[in-house]
Amino acid sequence: MKAILQRVLSASVSVNKQVVSSVGRGVLVFAAVAPEDSMTDAENLASKILKMKLWDDDSGERWKQSVIDINGEVLCVSQFTLLASTKKGSKPDFHGALGSEAAKPIYDRFVESMISKYEALRVKDGVFQEMMEVALVNDGPVHTFNHFRIEIASNSLTGNARNINKAQNLNGR
């Protein structure tokens, strides 16, 4: 699975001009499911996101608190386009994304894992396979945009899940 996290002051998702989910301070998660992803990968990614230290602590020490620590909220949005390949030509290739029928149960497990590891009222979701409008206010004292990529892949030879943690701040910091 791939996910992009954005630390937000607020975020919302609308479908057909109607708000279906909204959160205050916390994290907005765009998540995509690849063909090799499993239910275990979904659970591991949920745990990793909830533990990510994205906020300063009360004494001002940087990157010390998670969304749980700050009692924040999580808004999950399914976005298969994260797995697009643009290596050839100018048209994105989405063969790296799992088809919607197979992806939905894994994505649902991802959201359910977030809820079970945190609080149901603090985890919200968009609408799977719908055209969504996402509105957000980024939270960053220096940057207006925090972008992290987390990949969790399965080792099909051994059946063991291995984490490949890549946190990239695309702002150059």
Side-chain angles (χ1 to χ4, degrees), residues 8 10-24 27-29 73-78 107 111 115 120-128 132-136:
V8 297
S10 64
S12 65
V13 174
S14 298
V15 175
N16 297 321
K17 306 290 185 202
Q18 298 295 315
V19 174
V20 294
S21 292
S22 65
V23 296
V27 67
L28 170 62
V29 181
E73 295 179 285
V74 179
L75 177 55
C76 301
V77 177
S78 61
Y107 177 79
V111 175
I115 291 168
L121 295 177
R122 298 213 163 273
V123 178
K124 307 288 176 59
D125 192 14
V127 181
F128 190 87
M132 294 176 272
E133 293 177 8
V134 180
L136 65 129

Side-chain angles (χ1 to χ4, degrees), residues 7 25 50-71 148:
R7 191 175 76 173
R25 184 177 184 220
L50 290 172
K51 293 175 186 174
M52 273 289 224
K53 306 292 185 183
L54 300 176
W55 287 268
D56 299 349
D57 66 13
D58 293 335
S59 67
E61 281 209 49
R62 305 210 38 113
W63 314 114
K64 295 291 185 182
Q65 293 187 313
S66 69
V67 70
I68 293 173
D69 297 332
I70 67 156
N71 206 27
F148 298 89

